[in-house]
Each structure stands twice: as C-alpha cells, then as structure tokens.
Amino acid sequence: MNRKFLDLAFKYAEKAYKNEEVPIGAVIVKDNEVIGYGYNQKEKKNSVLEHAEIIAIRMASKKLNNWRLDDCDIYVTLDPCPMCASAIKQSRIKNIYSALSNLDKENEKVVVDILKRDKTNPSVNLISNIEPNKSKKILNSFFNIKRDK
C-alpha cells in the first residue's frame, strides 16, 4: 500500500467534484507505476457505466493491451459498488485499497461476497477505511451542496 496512489485517487475525486459528479476517484498501479485512472463521469457521459473504477480498468487494459490486470492494485476513495467489484474481480486485480468502506452495510456484504474466490477467478483483497475522514469530507460536501439546490 502506497499512500501517494490514494492521494492521487483523491485528486481525481476532486476533479469529479468540480464537474458536479459524485466525487470518487480510482488509480490502478502495476509495479509501482500508474497504468490507469478515472473519476466518475456518469452525468457527463449519461451512462451508468462511467464509474471511476470502470474508466480506470478500461485505461489500464488498453495500456497493457490485455484485459487481465494480474498483479495490479486499485486505489479508490470509496469501496466499489457491486458492478465495479465484479469488474475488478473479472480483471484479476489483486488488491483494492479504499479510503472509506461503504456505509450501506447490505451493499458492503454483496461486495465482499463478489470478491471471494470462485471457480473462475481468484479472490480480491479489500483493505478499507484507510482515509475515512478525508473521503467522508468530500462526499458530505458534495451531497450537502446537491441537497441545498
């Protein structure tokens, strides 16, 4: 775990925030090098698929010219949703380093189940709550502004 990559994920979350997107950022690392990054762009691209993690996976796969992201780690500012957890597992990312666990305990349970080893894919390690206050601060600020509008 390298905090500089989580800090970079927060820079992408801030970019999402400035673009009036839910402020979540993601960075994918292989051999201590960033090979993919993303931030939420659902509103801009009018697509439910434009989550930070999916965008980062797409970029990393293109860089490696391979959908298999073996021995890669992903740094995210919030635990992945079930869709993103599935994509992370399918891409064979090894570790998820997350600033904040999902506050929805049912969602968290689904994600943990998805990340377990199955007949096709290895398990994915989820290390969460690394920077919970920093993540809560940007998320709360974003949603407070949205509620006030």
Side-chain angles (χ1 to χ4, degrees), residues 79-138:
D79 282 4
C81 71
M83 175 182 73
C84 292
S86 293
I88 290 166
K89 183 176 178 179
Q90 290 290 316
S91 68
R92 303 198 175 142
I93 288 172
K94 189 174 187 176
N95 298 299
I96 301 168
Y97 296 105
S98 174
L100 179 64
S101 66
N102 195 307
L103 302 177
D104 178 342
K105 294 305 170 195
E106 288 301 313
N107 189 68
E108 184 179 29
K109 183 175 183 274
V110 170
V111 167
V112 168
D113 285 345
I114 288 168
L115 296 176
K116 290 179 182 172
R117 180 180 187 84
D118 60 32
K119 292 178 185 176
T120 309
N121 297 297
S123 63
V124 180
N125 299 314
L126 173 61
I127 299 90
S128 194
N129 281 323
I130 298 168
E131 290 268 357
N133 293 334
K134 189 172 183 178
S135 189
K136 284 178 188 175
K137 183 178 178 181
I138 192 169

Short mmCIF file of all heavy atoms in Angstrom, two decimals, residues 79-138:
data_model
loop_
_atom_site.label_atom_id
_atom_site.label_comp_id
_atom_site.label_asym_id
_atom_site.label_seq_id
_atom_site.Cartn_x
_atom_site.Cartn_y
_atom_site.Cartn_z
N ASP A 79 -15.21 2.33 -1.20
CA ASP A 79 -15.35 0.94 -1.61
C ASP A 79 -16.18 0.84 -2.89
O ASP A 79 -17.15 1.59 -3.07
CB ASP A 79 -16.06 0.11 -0.53
CG ASP A 79 -15.17 -0.27 0.63
OD1 ASP A 79 -14.00 0.15 0.67
OD2 ASP A 79 -15.66 -0.99 1.52
N PRO A 80 -15.83 -0.09 -3.76
CA PRO A 80 -16.57 -0.22 -5.02
C PRO A 80 -18.01 -0.70 -4.81
O PRO A 80 -18.31 -1.40 -3.84
CB PRO A 80 -15.77 -1.25 -5.81
CG PRO A 80 -14.98 -1.99 -4.80
CD PRO A 80 -14.75 -1.05 -3.65
N CYS A 81 -18.86 -0.32 -5.74
CA CYS A 81 -20.23 -0.83 -5.79
C CYS A 81 -20.16 -2.27 -6.32
O CYS A 81 -19.10 -2.72 -6.78
CB CYS A 81 -21.10 0.05 -6.69
SG CYS A 81 -20.69 -0.10 -8.45
N PRO A 82 -21.26 -3.01 -6.29
CA PRO A 82 -21.23 -4.38 -6.81
C PRO A 82 -20.80 -4.48 -8.28
O PRO A 82 -20.04 -5.39 -8.64
CB PRO A 82 -22.67 -4.86 -6.61
CG PRO A 82 -23.14 -4.10 -5.41
CD PRO A 82 -22.52 -2.73 -5.57
N MET A 83 -21.23 -3.55 -9.12
CA MET A 83 -20.83 -3.58 -10.53
C MET A 83 -19.32 -3.44 -10.65
O MET A 83 -18.67 -4.21 -11.37
CB MET A 83 -21.53 -2.46 -11.31
CG MET A 83 -21.07 -2.36 -12.77
SD MET A 83 -21.82 -1.00 -13.68
CE MET A 83 -20.97 0.42 -12.98
N CYS A 84 -18.76 -2.47 -9.96
CA CYS A 84 -17.32 -2.24 -10.04
C CYS A 84 -16.53 -3.37 -9.38
O CYS A 84 -15.47 -3.76 -9.87
CB CYS A 84 -16.97 -0.89 -9.44
SG CYS A 84 -17.59 0.49 -10.42
N ALA A 85 -17.04 -3.90 -8.28
CA ALA A 85 -16.39 -5.04 -7.63
C ALA A 85 -16.30 -6.23 -8.59
O ALA A 85 -15.27 -6.90 -8.68
CB ALA A 85 -17.13 -5.43 -6.36
N SER A 86 -17.37 -6.46 -9.33
CA SER A 86 -17.37 -7.55 -10.32
C SER A 86 -16.33 -7.29 -11.40
O SER A 86 -15.60 -8.20 -11.80
CB SER A 86 -18.75 -7.71 -10.95
OG SER A 86 -19.67 -8.17 -10.00
N ALA A 87 -16.27 -6.07 -11.90
CA ALA A 87 -15.30 -5.73 -12.95
C ALA A 87 -13.87 -5.87 -12.42
O ALA A 87 -12.98 -6.37 -13.12
CB ALA A 87 -15.55 -4.32 -13.47
N ILE A 88 -13.65 -5.43 -11.20
CA ILE A 88 -12.32 -5.55 -10.59
C ILE A 88 -11.93 -7.02 -10.49
O ILE A 88 -10.82 -7.41 -10.84
CB ILE A 88 -12.29 -4.85 -9.21
CG1 ILE A 88 -12.37 -3.33 -9.40
CG2 ILE A 88 -11.06 -5.26 -8.41
CD1 ILE A 88 -12.67 -2.55 -8.12
N LYS A 89 -12.84 -7.84 -10.02
CA LYS A 89 -12.56 -9.27 -9.89
C LYS A 89 -12.33 -9.91 -11.26
O LYS A 89 -11.38 -10.67 -11.44
CB LYS A 89 -13.70 -9.97 -9.16
CG LYS A 89 -13.42 -11.45 -8.94
CD LYS A 89 -14.52 -12.07 -8.13
CE LYS A 89 -14.27 -13.54 -7.92
NZ LYS A 89 -15.33 -14.14 -7.12
N GLN A 90 -13.19 -9.59 -12.22
CA GLN A 90 -13.04 -10.16 -13.56
C GLN A 90 -11.71 -9.75 -14.19
O GLN A 90 -11.13 -10.53 -14.95
CB GLN A 90 -14.19 -9.70 -14.46
CG GLN A 90 -15.53 -10.30 -14.12
CD GLN A 90 -15.62 -11.77 -14.45
OE1 GLN A 90 -15.19 -12.20 -15.51
NE2 GLN A 90 -16.17 -12.55 -13.54
N SER A 91 -11.24 -8.56 -13.89
CA SER A 91 -9.98 -8.09 -14.47
C SER A 91 -8.76 -8.67 -13.74
O SER A 91 -7.64 -8.47 -14.17
CB SER A 91 -9.92 -6.57 -14.47
OG SER A 91 -9.83 -6.08 -13.16
N ARG A 92 -9.03 -9.35 -12.64
CA ARG A 92 -7.99 -10.04 -11.87
C ARG A 92 -7.05 -9.11 -11.12
O ARG A 92 -5.88 -9.43 -10.87
CB ARG A 92 -7.23 -11.03 -12.75
CG ARG A 92 -8.18 -12.03 -13.38
CD ARG A 92 -7.53 -13.24 -13.91
NE ARG A 92 -8.56 -14.17 -14.38
CZ ARG A 92 -8.45 -14.91 -15.44
NH1 ARG A 92 -7.35 -14.86 -16.16
NH2 ARG A 92 -9.42 -15.73 -15.79
N ILE A 93 -7.57 -7.95 -10.77
CA ILE A 93 -6.81 -7.05 -9.90
C ILE A 93 -6.63 -7.76 -8.55
O ILE A 93 -7.54 -8.43 -8.07
CB ILE A 93 -7.54 -5.69 -9.76
CG1 ILE A 93 -7.41 -4.92 -11.08
CG2 ILE A 93 -7.02 -4.90 -8.58
CD1 ILE A 93 -8.23 -3.65 -11.15
N LYS A 94 -5.48 -7.60 -7.97
CA LYS A 94 -5.13 -8.34 -6.75
C LYS A 94 -5.65 -7.70 -5.46
O LYS A 94 -6.17 -8.38 -4.59
CB LYS A 94 -3.61 -8.47 -6.69
CG LYS A 94 -3.10 -9.39 -5.63
CD LYS A 94 -1.59 -9.55 -5.78
CE LYS A 94 -1.07 -10.61 -4.83
NZ LYS A 94 0.36 -10.85 -5.03
N ASN A 95 -5.48 -6.37 -5.34
CA ASN A 95 -5.83 -5.68 -4.10
C ASN A 95 -6.62 -4.41 -4.38
O ASN A 95 -6.34 -3.71 -5.36
CB ASN A 95 -4.55 -5.26 -3.34
CG ASN A 95 -3.72 -6.44 -2.92
OD1 ASN A 95 -4.17 -7.28 -2.15
ND2 ASN A 95 -2.49 -6.51 -3.43
N ILE A 96 -7.58 -4.14 -3.51
CA ILE A 96 -8.30 -2.87 -3.50
C ILE A 96 -7.91 -2.15 -2.22
O ILE A 96 -8.08 -2.69 -1.12
CB ILE A 96 -9.83 -3.08 -3.50
CG1 ILE A 96 -10.28 -3.88 -4.71
CG2 ILE A 96 -10.55 -1.73 -3.42
CD1 ILE A 96 -11.73 -4.36 -4.62
N TYR A 97 -7.38 -0.95 -2.38
CA TYR A 97 -7.07 -0.09 -1.24
C TYR A 97 -8.08 1.04 -1.27
O TYR A 97 -8.09 1.85 -2.19
CB TYR A 97 -5.64 0.44 -1.32
CG TYR A 97 -4.60 -0.65 -1.24
CD1 TYR A 97 -3.91 -1.07 -2.38
CD2 TYR A 97 -4.34 -1.29 -0.03
CE1 TYR A 97 -2.97 -2.09 -2.30
CE2 TYR A 97 -3.40 -2.30 0.05
CZ TYR A 97 -2.72 -2.70 -1.10
OH TYR A 97 -1.78 -3.71 -1.01
N SER A 98 -8.95 1.08 -0.26
CA SER A 98 -10.06 2.01 -0.26
C SER A 98 -9.99 2.95 0.93
O SER A 98 -9.72 2.54 2.06
CB SER A 98 -11.38 1.22 -0.22
OG SER A 98 -12.47 2.08 -0.08
N ALA A 99 -10.29 4.21 0.66
CA ALA A 99 -10.27 5.22 1.71
C ALA A 99 -11.40 5.03 2.70
O ALA A 99 -11.24 5.30 3.90
CB ALA A 99 -10.35 6.62 1.10
N LEU A 100 -12.56 4.57 2.22
CA LEU A 100 -13.75 4.50 3.06
C LEU A 100 -14.60 3.29 2.71
O LEU A 100 -14.86 3.04 1.54
CB LEU A 100 -14.59 5.78 2.87
CG LEU A 100 -15.90 5.90 3.64
CD1 LEU A 100 -15.67 5.95 5.14
CD2 LEU A 100 -16.67 7.14 3.18
N SER A 101 -15.03 2.56 3.73
CA SER A 101 -15.94 1.45 3.48
C SER A 101 -17.32 2.00 3.14
O SER A 101 -17.67 3.11 3.53
CB SER A 101 -16.02 0.50 4.68
OG SER A 101 -16.60 1.16 5.77
N ASN A 102 -18.08 1.22 2.42
CA ASN A 102 -19.42 1.63 2.05
C ASN A 102 -20.28 1.70 3.30
O ASN A 102 -20.28 0.78 4.12
CB ASN A 102 -20.02 0.66 1.04
CG ASN A 102 -21.22 1.22 0.36
OD1 ASN A 102 -22.16 1.67 1.00
ND2 ASN A 102 -21.20 1.19 -0.94
N LEU A 103 -20.99 2.78 3.46
CA LEU A 103 -21.82 2.95 4.65
C LEU A 103 -23.11 2.13 4.58
O LEU A 103 -23.75 1.92 5.61
CB LEU A 103 -22.13 4.43 4.85
CG LEU A 103 -20.89 5.32 4.98
CD1 LEU A 103 -21.29 6.78 5.09
CD2 LEU A 103 -20.05 4.90 6.17
N ASP A 104 -23.46 1.66 3.40
CA ASP A 104 -24.62 0.79 3.22
C ASP A 104 -24.16 -0.65 3.49
O ASP A 104 -23.47 -1.26 2.67
CB ASP A 104 -25.16 0.94 1.80
CG ASP A 104 -26.34 0.04 1.50
OD1 ASP A 104 -26.57 -0.95 2.24
OD2 ASP A 104 -27.04 0.31 0.52
N LYS A 105 -24.50 -1.18 4.65
CA LYS A 105 -23.99 -2.50 5.07
C LYS A 105 -24.46 -3.64 4.17
O LYS A 105 -23.75 -4.62 3.98
CB LYS A 105 -24.37 -2.77 6.54
CG LYS A 105 -23.69 -1.83 7.50
CD LYS A 105 -22.18 -1.85 7.33
CE LYS A 105 -21.49 -0.76 8.10
NZ LYS A 105 -20.11 -0.56 7.69
N GLU A 106 -25.65 -3.52 3.59
CA GLU A 106 -26.12 -4.55 2.65
C GLU A 106 -25.25 -4.54 1.39
O GLU A 106 -24.88 -5.59 0.88
CB GLU A 106 -27.59 -4.33 2.29
CG GLU A 106 -28.55 -4.66 3.42
CD GLU A 106 -28.43 -6.11 3.90
OE1 GLU A 106 -28.41 -7.03 3.04
OE2 GLU A 106 -28.37 -6.33 5.12
N ASN A 107 -24.95 -3.36 0.90
CA ASN A 107 -24.08 -3.22 -0.27
C ASN A 107 -22.69 -3.79 0.04
O ASN A 107 -22.11 -4.50 -0.77
CB ASN A 107 -23.98 -1.76 -0.69
CG ASN A 107 -23.29 -1.58 -2.00
OD1 ASN A 107 -23.81 -1.97 -3.04
ND2 ASN A 107 -22.12 -1.00 -1.97
N GLU A 108 -22.20 -3.47 1.23
CA GLU A 108 -20.88 -3.96 1.64
C GLU A 108 -20.84 -5.50 1.65
O GLU A 108 -19.87 -6.10 1.18
CB GLU A 108 -20.54 -3.41 3.02
CG GLU A 108 -19.16 -3.77 3.49
CD GLU A 108 -18.84 -3.17 4.86
OE1 GLU A 108 -19.77 -2.96 5.67
OE2 GLU A 108 -17.65 -2.94 5.11
N LYS A 109 -21.90 -6.11 2.14
CA LYS A 109 -21.97 -7.57 2.20
C LYS A 109 -21.94 -8.17 0.79
O LYS A 109 -21.23 -9.14 0.53
CB LYS A 109 -23.24 -7.99 2.93
CG LYS A 109 -23.39 -9.48 3.12
CD LYS A 109 -24.62 -9.80 3.96
CE LYS A 109 -24.75 -11.27 4.21
NZ LYS A 109 -25.44 -11.99 3.16
N VAL A 110 -22.69 -7.58 -0.12
CA VAL A 110 -22.71 -8.05 -1.51
C VAL A 110 -21.31 -7.94 -2.12
O VAL A 110 -20.84 -8.88 -2.77
CB VAL A 110 -23.74 -7.25 -2.35
CG1 VAL A 110 -23.61 -7.55 -3.83
CG2 VAL A 110 -25.16 -7.55 -1.88
N VAL A 111 -20.65 -6.82 -1.91
CA VAL A 111 -19.31 -6.61 -2.47
C VAL A 111 -18.33 -7.64 -1.91
O VAL A 111 -17.55 -8.23 -2.66
CB VAL A 111 -18.83 -5.17 -2.22
CG1 VAL A 111 -17.34 -5.02 -2.50
CG2 VAL A 111 -19.64 -4.20 -3.06
N VAL A 112 -18.36 -7.87 -0.61
CA VAL A 112 -17.46 -8.86 0.00
C VAL A 112 -17.70 -10.24 -0.61
O VAL A 112 -16.74 -10.96 -0.92
CB VAL A 112 -17.63 -8.88 1.54
CG1 VAL A 112 -16.95 -10.08 2.16
CG2 VAL A 112 -17.09 -7.58 2.14
N ASP A 113 -18.95 -10.60 -0.83
CA ASP A 113 -19.26 -11.90 -1.45
C ASP A 113 -18.73 -11.96 -2.88
O ASP A 113 -18.20 -12.99 -3.31
CB ASP A 113 -20.77 -12.16 -1.44
CG ASP A 113 -21.29 -12.55 -0.07
OD1 ASP A 113 -20.48 -12.89 0.82
OD2 ASP A 113 -22.52 -12.49 0.13
N ILE A 114 -18.88 -10.88 -3.63
CA ILE A 114 -18.39 -10.85 -5.01
C ILE A 114 -16.89 -11.06 -5.05
O ILE A 114 -16.38 -11.78 -5.92
CB ILE A 114 -18.76 -9.51 -5.69
CG1 ILE A 114 -20.25 -9.45 -5.97
CG2 ILE A 114 -17.95 -9.29 -6.98
CD1 ILE A 114 -20.77 -8.09 -6.37
N LEU A 115 -16.18 -10.48 -4.11
CA LEU A 115 -14.71 -10.51 -4.14
C LEU A 115 -14.11 -11.84 -3.70
O LEU A 115 -12.90 -12.05 -3.85
CB LEU A 115 -14.15 -9.37 -3.29
CG LEU A 115 -14.49 -7.96 -3.78
CD1 LEU A 115 -13.96 -6.92 -2.80
CD2 LEU A 115 -13.98 -7.70 -5.18
N LYS A 116 -14.93 -12.75 -3.22
CA LYS A 116 -14.43 -14.07 -2.81
C LYS A 116 -14.03 -14.89 -4.04
O LYS A 116 -14.59 -14.73 -5.12
CB LYS A 116 -15.50 -14.83 -2.02
CG LYS A 116 -15.77 -14.25 -0.66
CD LYS A 116 -16.86 -15.04 0.06
CE LYS A 116 -17.17 -14.42 1.40
NZ LYS A 116 -18.34 -15.05 2.03
N ARG A 117 -13.11 -15.81 -3.81
CA ARG A 117 -12.67 -16.72 -4.88
C ARG A 117 -13.85 -17.52 -5.40
O ARG A 117 -14.71 -17.95 -4.64
CB ARG A 117 -11.59 -17.65 -4.32
CG ARG A 117 -11.06 -18.63 -5.33
CD ARG A 117 -9.98 -19.53 -4.71
NE ARG A 117 -9.38 -20.34 -5.74
CZ ARG A 117 -8.39 -19.93 -6.54
NH1 ARG A 117 -7.89 -18.74 -6.38
NH2 ARG A 117 -7.90 -20.74 -7.46
N ASP A 118 -13.87 -17.75 -6.71
CA ASP A 118 -14.87 -18.63 -7.30
C ASP A 118 -14.15 -19.60 -8.24
O ASP A 118 -12.93 -19.65 -8.27
CB ASP A 118 -15.98 -17.83 -8.00
CG ASP A 118 -15.48 -16.95 -9.12
OD1 ASP A 118 -14.48 -17.31 -9.79
OD2 ASP A 118 -16.08 -15.89 -9.35
N LYS A 119 -14.90 -20.35 -9.02
CA LYS A 119 -14.29 -21.37 -9.89
C LYS A 119 -13.45 -20.75 -11.02
O LYS A 119 -12.58 -21.40 -11.56
CB LYS A 119 -15.38 -22.25 -10.50
CG LYS A 119 -16.07 -23.12 -9.49
CD LYS A 119 -17.16 -23.95 -10.14
CE LYS A 119 -17.92 -24.73 -9.08
NZ LYS A 119 -19.04 -25.47 -9.66
N THR A 120 -13.72 -19.52 -11.36
CA THR A 120 -13.05 -18.88 -12.49
C THR A 120 -11.97 -17.90 -12.08
O THR A 120 -10.92 -17.82 -12.71
CB THR A 120 -14.09 -18.14 -13.36
OG1 THR A 120 -15.16 -19.03 -13.67
CG2 THR A 120 -13.48 -17.63 -14.63
N ASN A 121 -12.22 -17.12 -11.04
CA ASN A 121 -11.32 -16.02 -10.68
C ASN A 121 -10.84 -16.14 -9.24
O ASN A 121 -11.57 -16.59 -8.37
CB ASN A 121 -12.05 -14.68 -10.83
CG ASN A 121 -12.45 -14.44 -12.27
OD1 ASN A 121 -11.60 -14.32 -13.13
ND2 ASN A 121 -13.74 -14.38 -12.52
N PRO A 122 -9.61 -15.67 -9.00
CA PRO A 122 -9.12 -15.64 -7.61
C PRO A 122 -9.84 -14.55 -6.82
O PRO A 122 -10.51 -13.68 -7.38
CB PRO A 122 -7.64 -15.29 -7.77
CG PRO A 122 -7.54 -14.59 -9.09
CD PRO A 122 -8.63 -15.15 -9.95
N SER A 123 -9.69 -14.60 -5.52
CA SER A 123 -10.29 -13.57 -4.67
C SER A 123 -9.52 -12.26 -4.83
O SER A 123 -8.39 -12.23 -5.32
CB SER A 123 -10.29 -14.01 -3.21
OG SER A 123 -8.96 -14.17 -2.76
N VAL A 124 -10.16 -11.19 -4.41
CA VAL A 124 -9.54 -9.87 -4.40
C VAL A 124 -9.49 -9.41 -2.95
O VAL A 124 -10.50 -9.49 -2.24
CB VAL A 124 -10.35 -8.86 -5.24
CG1 VAL A 124 -9.68 -7.49 -5.21
CG2 VAL A 124 -10.53 -9.34 -6.67
N ASN A 125 -8.33 -8.97 -2.52
CA ASN A 125 -8.18 -8.45 -1.15
C ASN A 125 -8.75 -7.03 -1.10
O ASN A 125 -8.42 -6.21 -1.95
CB ASN A 125 -6.71 -8.41 -0.75
CG ASN A 125 -6.09 -9.78 -0.75
OD1 ASN A 125 -6.66 -10.73 -0.25
ND2 ASN A 125 -4.91 -9.88 -1.34
N LEU A 126 -9.57 -6.77 -0.09
CA LEU A 126 -10.13 -5.44 0.12
C LEU A 126 -9.61 -4.91 1.44
O LEU A 126 -9.89 -5.46 2.50
CB LEU A 126 -11.66 -5.49 0.13
CG LEU A 126 -12.39 -4.20 0.50
CD1 LEU A 126 -12.07 -3.09 -0.48
CD2 LEU A 126 -13.90 -4.45 0.57
N ILE A 127 -8.83 -3.84 1.35
CA ILE A 127 -8.32 -3.15 2.53
C ILE A 127 -9.02 -1.80 2.55
O ILE A 127 -8.84 -0.99 1.64
CB ILE A 127 -6.79 -2.99 2.48
CG1 ILE A 127 -6.11 -4.36 2.43
CG2 ILE A 127 -6.30 -2.21 3.70
CD1 ILE A 127 -5.87 -4.90 1.07
N SER A 128 -9.84 -1.58 3.56
CA SER A 128 -10.73 -0.43 3.56
C SER A 128 -10.51 0.46 4.78
O SER A 128 -9.83 0.07 5.73
CB SER A 128 -12.18 -0.91 3.52
OG SER A 128 -13.04 0.14 3.20
N ASN A 129 -11.11 1.64 4.72
CA ASN A 129 -11.06 2.63 5.80
C ASN A 129 -9.64 3.14 6.06
O ASN A 129 -9.26 3.37 7.20
CB ASN A 129 -11.70 2.10 7.08
CG ASN A 129 -13.19 2.18 7.02
OD1 ASN A 129 -13.75 3.14 6.48
ND2 ASN A 129 -13.86 1.18 7.56
N ILE A 130 -8.90 3.36 4.99
CA ILE A 130 -7.53 3.87 5.10
C ILE A 130 -7.53 5.36 5.40
O ILE A 130 -6.71 5.84 6.18
CB ILE A 130 -6.73 3.56 3.82
CG1 ILE A 130 -6.64 2.04 3.60
CG2 ILE A 130 -5.33 4.18 3.88
CD1 ILE A 130 -6.13 1.62 2.24
N GLU A 131 -8.45 6.10 4.80
CA GLU A 131 -8.57 7.56 4.99
C GLU A 131 -10.05 7.93 5.10
O GLU A 131 -10.55 8.73 4.30
CB GLU A 131 -7.96 8.32 3.80
CG GLU A 131 -6.48 8.24 3.70
CD GLU A 131 -5.78 9.39 4.40
OE1 GLU A 131 -6.46 10.28 4.92
OE2 GLU A 131 -4.55 9.38 4.42
N PRO A 132 -10.77 7.38 6.07
CA PRO A 132 -12.22 7.58 6.11
C PRO A 132 -12.64 9.04 6.25
O PRO A 132 -13.59 9.48 5.60
CB PRO A 132 -12.68 6.76 7.31
CG PRO A 132 -11.46 6.58 8.16
CD PRO A 132 -10.30 6.57 7.21
N ASN A 133 -11.95 9.82 7.06
CA ASN A 133 -12.36 11.22 7.27
C ASN A 133 -12.21 12.05 6.01
O ASN A 133 -13.07 12.88 5.69
CB ASN A 133 -11.58 11.84 8.44
CG ASN A 133 -11.96 11.19 9.76
OD1 ASN A 133 -13.05 10.66 9.92
ND2 ASN A 133 -11.03 11.20 10.69
N LYS A 134 -11.13 11.83 5.28
CA LYS A 134 -10.90 12.58 4.04
C LYS A 134 -11.99 12.25 3.01
O LYS A 134 -12.51 13.14 2.34
CB LYS A 134 -9.52 12.23 3.50
CG LYS A 134 -9.07 13.09 2.35
CD LYS A 134 -7.61 12.78 2.01
CE LYS A 134 -7.10 13.69 0.92
NZ LYS A 134 -5.68 13.42 0.62
N SER A 135 -12.35 10.99 2.92
CA SER A 135 -13.37 10.57 1.97
C SER A 135 -14.75 11.09 2.38
O SER A 135 -15.50 11.62 1.55
CB SER A 135 -13.39 9.05 1.83
OG SER A 135 -14.23 8.67 0.77
N LYS A 136 -15.07 10.96 3.66
CA LYS A 136 -16.36 11.46 4.15
C LYS A 136 -16.50 12.96 3.92
O LYS A 136 -17.57 13.44 3.56
CB LYS A 136 -16.52 11.17 5.65
CG LYS A 136 -16.85 9.74 5.97
CD LYS A 136 -16.95 9.56 7.48
CE LYS A 136 -17.08 8.09 7.85
NZ LYS A 136 -17.05 7.90 9.30
N LYS A 137 -15.41 13.69 4.11
CA LYS A 137 -15.44 15.15 3.95
C LYS A 137 -15.85 15.54 2.54
O LYS A 137 -16.75 16.36 2.35
CB LYS A 137 -14.08 15.74 4.31
CG LYS A 137 -14.04 17.25 4.25
CD LYS A 137 -12.68 17.78 4.67
CE LYS A 137 -12.65 19.29 4.56
NZ LYS A 137 -11.35 19.84 4.93
N ILE A 138 -15.21 14.96 1.53
CA ILE A 138 -15.53 15.34 0.16
C ILE A 138 -16.92 14.85 -0.25
O ILE A 138 -17.67 15.56 -0.93
CB ILE A 138 -14.43 14.88 -0.84
CG1 ILE A 138 -14.65 15.56 -2.21
CG2 ILE A 138 -14.36 13.39 -0.96
CD1 ILE A 138 -13.48 15.37 -3.17
#
